[in-house]
Amino acid sequence: MLLLKRSLFLFLYLVASFSFVEAQNIFISNVQHRTTTSLNGKWQYVIDPYETEGMGGMPVYKNYIPKEESDRVEYSFTDGRTLWVPGSWNIQHPELRYFEGTVWYRKTFHQAEISDGKRYFINVGAANYLTTVTFNGEILGKHEGGFTPFSFEITDLIKEKDNFLIIGVNSARKADNVPSKVTDWSNHGGIIRDVSLVEVPTTFINNYFVSLDKSTLAQKTKIINGKLELAGNTLPEKARIVIPELNIEQELALNSNGTTDFSIDVKNLELWSPENPKLYKVTIEAGDDKISDEIGFRTIETKGKEILLNGEPIFLKGICLHDENPLRKDRANSVEDAKLVLDWAQELGCNFIRLAHYPHQENIVRLADKMGILLWEELPLYWGIQWGNPEVLEKAKQQYTELINRDYNRASSIIWSIANETAPIPDRNKFLSDLADYVRTIDDTRLLSAAIKKDQELDGHPDSVYTYNDPIIEKLDIISLNEYLGWYGGFPEECRNKTFKAGYEKPIIVSEFGGGAMQGFHGDKYTRWSEEFQEYLYQESIAMFDKIDGLAGMTPWILVDFQSPLRQLSGVQDGWNRKGLISEKGFKKKAFFVLEEYYRTK
């Protein structure tokens, strides 16, 4: 009898744990310019180290609260334990410093006015890594991927009072994740970007894509191409796009599925560039919905070994960057965080930043639009990816779909990168080839690249000529290479004897080089970890790379020291990768000024 009761209890628990309501994950672009209520702030939390989704057989998301003294509830959100959202849980409590697993968050709120003519969504800017979203005791759905936004509808569940949003986030590293189990950055777990309640009309503009047709660049009358997507059951027949500064007010006929492709003739268009980051107010209207954005128009392409911005050659004076605020030791998640690092980059003389090694917060992309800084964006297709696993390829495609949906309209974003430091093998080659083709089908307005390895296996390899014949180069617009000669192998002066050869008529970006230095530690130029060693390494490396035929830019590694559990040299690293040109406290190292001076000459 006891066994029967336990079996029945387990069955009912599993049914409760895995029952879903119909809540489609609809992508909603430009959340910043919609009607929203911020759900940021302090959230209560419960740790779920065994990933059971229930404590004592009780699903956490049901929000059980004992009503009588005899009631058995084996978890509680009301004991005062809180986490700030957005933010990494790993830096908020000492006991969570290296915790990787599941944490359940709870936020309660009231919604004073609920309109029958509106729909309501929970939008999460990003949560790392596998997220289960529940609302008022019902599972809305799951989202995989730690750096891209997602939404779930709650229109049929929201109440005027006592709503409870419970989100479970699992940060465990797994072999079939993207990224895989081992990386060289801190695995910040939790809800790392904004959470909002989004209110839209019953039929609304969920996404739109607007870009300049590069084939019309040389013409006096240019063409803006676009696509519009609506979500809803009652679809209007027409929409309208308005760009006041260009005297554009054009009606758009919608298809029966609520989409349309359109083209607009435009005269006197001012092109976006780093020197002139011109943004136009673009407003789109359809039915009861209206959405505005600030969009720049530019073209990006390659010609031979040059990168052309608006038809003119440009040298990309860049730097790599992780999505952290080093002063707070947390994931970057605000405009202020973005401005901190973009100001440093501009002080360095940069017109270009590589956002490594995963999608960064949307604030930095939008601010780069305003400041005139070009961007490279990428997915964490990094060490240890299961190239032969078709499910992993689908995860990569999904993450790129979400990233492109988010950033398509950002003029600053010019390069999609599909991999970093991955060795050519048949499964990997096919995976990346398929991914490159897929990315081009959903966005053919940007350039493709990947940070590839040289044919010679080791850093510091004795060959005088380093060669590049990775088969994935065929799929790329730009050859990008990482080279740590003088740090992981050889000495800085060996740079004087090296040349680089790639058998393709394509531009080259040096996507990584550099070495570590402890800010404030000084010695001669051969003293490892000294500012002088890093300074010397930059001097020799820059002189070597500057001779590359077809060099179109560089992004040394890296702007700021960043956290990494791989880096544990006591008294020097202490959990920080020290290759930054600026310390985690904001102090510049001597190599910063070497690169700054080089960029003045370009």
Side-chain angles (χ1 to χ4, degrees), residues 15 42 178 200 208 240 255 268 326 359 443 464 468 472-473 476 478:
V15 169
K42 283 189 174 182
V178 178
V200 293
Y208 52 92
R240 190 167 70 119
N255 299 322
N268 303 315
D443 182 10
S464 60
Y468 297 83
I472 198 61
I473 293 175
L476 307 177
I478 301 169

PDB file of all heavy atoms in Angstrom, residues 15 42 178 200 208 240 255 268 326 359 443 464 468 472-473 476 478:
ATOM      1  N   VAL A  15       3.520  14.747 -13.517  1.00  0.00           N
ATOM      2  CA  VAL A  15       2.519  15.408 -14.352  1.00  0.00           C
ATOM      3  C   VAL A  15       2.502  16.910 -14.068  1.00  0.00           C
ATOM      4  O   VAL A  15       2.494  17.743 -14.971  1.00  0.00           O
ATOM      5  CB  VAL A  15       1.118  14.806 -14.117  1.00  0.00           C
ATOM      6  CG1 VAL A  15       0.055  15.660 -14.773  1.00  0.00           C
ATOM      7  CG2 VAL A  15       1.075  13.383 -14.668  1.00  0.00           C
ATOM      8  N   LYS A  42      15.207  43.330  -6.770  1.00  0.00           N
ATOM      9  CA  LYS A  42      15.466  42.169  -5.917  1.00  0.00           C
ATOM     10  C   LYS A  42      14.408  41.095  -6.153  1.00  0.00           C
ATOM     11  O   LYS A  42      13.210  41.366  -6.087  1.00  0.00           O
ATOM     12  CB  LYS A  42      15.478  42.580  -4.448  1.00  0.00           C
ATOM     13  CG  LYS A  42      16.760  43.271  -4.014  1.00  0.00           C
ATOM     14  CD  LYS A  42      16.794  43.457  -2.507  1.00  0.00           C
ATOM     15  CE  LYS A  42      18.129  44.022  -2.051  1.00  0.00           C
ATOM     16  NZ  LYS A  42      18.188  44.164  -0.585  1.00  0.00           N
ATOM     17  N   VAL A 178      26.012  25.212 -26.298  1.00  0.00           N
ATOM     18  CA  VAL A 178      26.767  26.218 -27.062  1.00  0.00           C
ATOM     19  C   VAL A 178      26.847  27.461 -26.176  1.00  0.00           C
ATOM     20  O   VAL A 178      25.875  28.183 -26.051  1.00  0.00           O
ATOM     21  CB  VAL A 178      26.071  26.561 -28.401  1.00  0.00           C
ATOM     22  CG1 VAL A 178      26.845  27.645 -29.139  1.00  0.00           C
ATOM     23  CG2 VAL A 178      25.917  25.320 -29.270  1.00  0.00           C
ATOM     24  N   VAL A 200       1.307  44.983 -25.544  1.00  0.00           N
ATOM     25  CA  VAL A 200       1.155  45.303 -26.963  1.00  0.00           C
ATOM     26  C   VAL A 200      -0.306  45.125 -27.359  1.00  0.00           C
ATOM     27  O   VAL A 200      -1.083  44.472 -26.650  1.00  0.00           O
ATOM     28  CB  VAL A 200       2.044  44.384 -27.847  1.00  0.00           C
ATOM     29  CG1 VAL A 200       3.516  44.650 -27.614  1.00  0.00           C
ATOM     30  CG2 VAL A 200       1.704  42.919 -27.610  1.00  0.00           C
ATOM     31  N   TYR A 208      10.876  43.728 -37.550  1.00  0.00           N
ATOM     32  CA  TYR A 208      11.043  44.437 -38.814  1.00  0.00           C
ATOM     33  C   TYR A 208      12.534  44.488 -39.132  1.00  0.00           C
ATOM     34  O   TYR A 208      13.387  44.437 -38.245  1.00  0.00           O
ATOM     35  CB  TYR A 208      10.458  45.857 -38.737  1.00  0.00           C
ATOM     36  CG  TYR A 208      10.959  46.642 -37.549  1.00  0.00           C
ATOM     37  CD1 TYR A 208      12.087  47.456 -37.645  1.00  0.00           C
ATOM     38  CD2 TYR A 208      10.318  46.559 -36.315  1.00  0.00           C
ATOM     39  CE1 TYR A 208      12.564  48.155 -36.552  1.00  0.00           C
ATOM     40  CE2 TYR A 208      10.784  47.249 -35.215  1.00  0.00           C
ATOM     41  CZ  TYR A 208      11.912  48.046 -35.342  1.00  0.00           C
ATOM     42  OH  TYR A 208      12.381  48.720 -34.245  1.00  0.00           O
ATOM     43  N   ARG A 240       2.284  51.120 -42.559  1.00  0.00           N
ATOM     44  CA  ARG A 240       2.853  52.370 -43.037  1.00  0.00           C
ATOM     45  C   ARG A 240       4.224  52.563 -42.410  1.00  0.00           C
ATOM     46  O   ARG A 240       4.420  52.266 -41.221  1.00  0.00           O
ATOM     47  CB  ARG A 240       1.928  53.536 -42.665  1.00  0.00           C
ATOM     48  CG  ARG A 240       2.279  54.862 -43.306  1.00  0.00           C
ATOM     49  CD  ARG A 240       1.123  55.847 -43.134  1.00  0.00           C
ATOM     50  NE  ARG A 240       0.988  56.246 -41.750  1.00  0.00           N
ATOM     51  CZ  ARG A 240       1.101  57.516 -41.312  1.00  0.00           C
ATOM     52  NH1 ARG A 240       1.352  58.495 -42.156  1.00  0.00           N
ATOM     53  NH2 ARG A 240       0.953  57.803 -40.051  1.00  0.00           N
ATOM     54  N   ASN A 255       0.685  40.826 -46.624  1.00  0.00           N
ATOM     55  CA  ASN A 255       0.206  39.515 -47.072  1.00  0.00           C
ATOM     56  C   ASN A 255      -0.803  38.971 -46.067  1.00  0.00           C
ATOM     57  O   ASN A 255      -0.956  39.491 -44.956  1.00  0.00           O
ATOM     58  CB  ASN A 255       1.382  38.553 -47.215  1.00  0.00           C
ATOM     59  CG  ASN A 255       2.394  39.042 -48.232  1.00  0.00           C
ATOM     60  OD1 ASN A 255       2.023  39.587 -49.256  1.00  0.00           O
ATOM     61  ND2 ASN A 255       3.672  38.850 -47.937  1.00  0.00           N
ATOM     62  N   ASN A 268      18.917  62.088 -51.043  1.00  0.00           N
ATOM     63  CA  ASN A 268      19.630  62.872 -50.027  1.00  0.00           C
ATOM     64  C   ASN A 268      19.852  62.094 -48.739  1.00  0.00           C
ATOM     65  O   ASN A 268      19.756  62.646 -47.630  1.00  0.00           O
ATOM     66  CB  ASN A 268      18.873  64.172 -49.730  1.00  0.00           C
ATOM     67  CG  ASN A 268      18.658  65.014 -50.967  1.00  0.00           C
ATOM     68  OD1 ASN A 268      19.581  65.204 -51.762  1.00  0.00           O
ATOM     69  ND2 ASN A 268      17.437  65.517 -51.149  1.00  0.00           N
ATOM     70  N   PRO A 326      34.173  45.337 -15.272  1.00  0.00           N
ATOM     71  CA  PRO A 326      35.213  44.835 -14.367  1.00  0.00           C
ATOM     72  C   PRO A 326      35.176  45.499 -13.000  1.00  0.00           C
ATOM     73  O   PRO A 326      35.593  44.891 -12.007  1.00  0.00           O
ATOM     74  CB  PRO A 326      36.509  45.175 -15.111  1.00  0.00           C
ATOM     75  CG  PRO A 326      36.156  46.335 -15.989  1.00  0.00           C
ATOM     76  CD  PRO A 326      34.729  46.091 -16.404  1.00  0.00           C
ATOM     77  N   PRO A 359      27.039  36.732 -27.795  1.00  0.00           N
ATOM     78  CA  PRO A 359      26.290  37.978 -27.945  1.00  0.00           C
ATOM     79  C   PRO A 359      26.326  38.831 -26.672  1.00  0.00           C
ATOM     80  O   PRO A 359      26.004  38.352 -25.583  1.00  0.00           O
ATOM     81  CB  PRO A 359      24.863  37.502 -28.239  1.00  0.00           C
ATOM     82  CG  PRO A 359      25.046  36.142 -28.852  1.00  0.00           C
ATOM     83  CD  PRO A 359      26.206  35.540 -28.121  1.00  0.00           C
ATOM     84  N   ASP A 443      20.497  36.843 -43.298  1.00  0.00           N
ATOM     85  CA  ASP A 443      21.094  38.176 -43.345  1.00  0.00           C
ATOM     86  C   ASP A 443      22.244  38.191 -44.342  1.00  0.00           C
ATOM     87  O   ASP A 443      23.335  37.698 -44.041  1.00  0.00           O
ATOM     88  CB  ASP A 443      21.589  38.609 -41.965  1.00  0.00           C
ATOM     89  CG  ASP A 443      22.162  40.024 -41.975  1.00  0.00           C
ATOM     90  OD1 ASP A 443      22.005  40.716 -43.002  1.00  0.00           O
ATOM     91  OD2 ASP A 443      22.758  40.437 -40.958  1.00  0.00           O
ATOM     92  N   SER A 464      59.241  30.030 -40.657  1.00  0.00           N
ATOM     93  CA  SER A 464      59.308  31.477 -40.850  1.00  0.00           C
ATOM     94  C   SER A 464      58.062  32.022 -41.542  1.00  0.00           C
ATOM     95  O   SER A 464      57.764  33.207 -41.438  1.00  0.00           O
ATOM     96  CB  SER A 464      60.551  31.853 -41.657  1.00  0.00           C
ATOM     97  OG  SER A 464      60.518  31.220 -42.929  1.00  0.00           O
ATOM     98  N   TYR A 468      47.774  29.631 -44.005  1.00  0.00           N
ATOM     99  CA  TYR A 468      46.368  29.476 -43.625  1.00  0.00           C
ATOM    100  C   TYR A 468      45.609  28.849 -44.781  1.00  0.00           C
ATOM    101  O   TYR A 468      45.420  29.472 -45.822  1.00  0.00           O
ATOM    102  CB  TYR A 468      45.774  30.836 -43.242  1.00  0.00           C
ATOM    103  CG  TYR A 468      46.443  31.426 -42.033  1.00  0.00           C
ATOM    104  CD1 TYR A 468      47.638  32.143 -42.160  1.00  0.00           C
ATOM    105  CD2 TYR A 468      45.936  31.218 -40.758  1.00  0.00           C
ATOM    106  CE1 TYR A 468      48.290  32.653 -41.050  1.00  0.00           C
ATOM    107  CE2 TYR A 468      46.588  31.724 -39.643  1.00  0.00           C
ATOM    108  CZ  TYR A 468      47.754  32.431 -39.791  1.00  0.00           C
ATOM    109  OH  TYR A 468      48.404  32.915 -38.676  1.00  0.00           O
ATOM    110  N   ILE A 472      37.282  26.194 -44.283  1.00  0.00           N
ATOM    111  CA  ILE A 472      36.125  27.052 -44.019  1.00  0.00           C
ATOM    112  C   ILE A 472      36.335  28.458 -44.589  1.00  0.00           C
ATOM    113  O   ILE A 472      35.368  29.222 -44.768  1.00  0.00           O
ATOM    114  CB  ILE A 472      35.822  27.113 -42.500  1.00  0.00           C
ATOM    115  CG1 ILE A 472      34.389  27.619 -42.249  1.00  0.00           C
ATOM    116  CG2 ILE A 472      36.818  27.988 -41.771  1.00  0.00           C
ATOM    117  CD1 ILE A 472      33.312  26.756 -42.847  1.00  0.00           C
ATOM    118  N   ILE A 473      37.587  28.804 -44.914  1.00  0.00           N
ATOM    119  CA  ILE A 473      37.860  30.132 -45.490  1.00  0.00           C
ATOM    120  C   ILE A 473      37.035  30.358 -46.753  1.00  0.00           C
ATOM    121  O   ILE A 473      36.642  31.491 -47.060  1.00  0.00           O
ATOM    122  CB  ILE A 473      39.372  30.288 -45.778  1.00  0.00           C
ATOM    123  CG1 ILE A 473      40.169  30.315 -44.466  1.00  0.00           C
ATOM    124  CG2 ILE A 473      39.651  31.568 -46.563  1.00  0.00           C
ATOM    125  CD1 ILE A 473      41.673  30.348 -44.657  1.00  0.00           C
ATOM    126  N   LEU A 476      33.974  32.303 -46.079  1.00  0.00           N
ATOM    127  CA  LEU A 476      34.109  33.557 -45.345  1.00  0.00           C
ATOM    128  C   LEU A 476      34.400  34.727 -46.279  1.00  0.00           C
ATOM    129  O   LEU A 476      35.022  34.559 -47.325  1.00  0.00           O
ATOM    130  CB  LEU A 476      35.219  33.443 -44.301  1.00  0.00           C
ATOM    131  CG  LEU A 476      35.131  32.261 -43.326  1.00  0.00           C
ATOM    132  CD1 LEU A 476      36.343  32.253 -42.410  1.00  0.00           C
ATOM    133  CD2 LEU A 476      33.838  32.303 -42.532  1.00  0.00           C
ATOM    134  N   ILE A 478      36.037  37.407 -44.812  1.00  0.00           N
ATOM    135  CA  ILE A 478      37.253  37.917 -44.186  1.00  0.00           C
ATOM    136  C   ILE A 478      37.986  36.764 -43.516  1.00  0.00           C
ATOM    137  O   ILE A 478      37.361  35.932 -42.840  1.00  0.00           O
ATOM    138  CB  ILE A 478      36.912  38.984 -43.122  1.00  0.00           C
ATOM    139  CG1 ILE A 478      36.156  40.158 -43.750  1.00  0.00           C
ATOM    140  CG2 ILE A 478      38.170  39.484 -42.425  1.00  0.00           C
ATOM    141  CD1 ILE A 478      35.568  41.104 -42.723  1.00  0.00           C
TER     142      ILE A 478
END
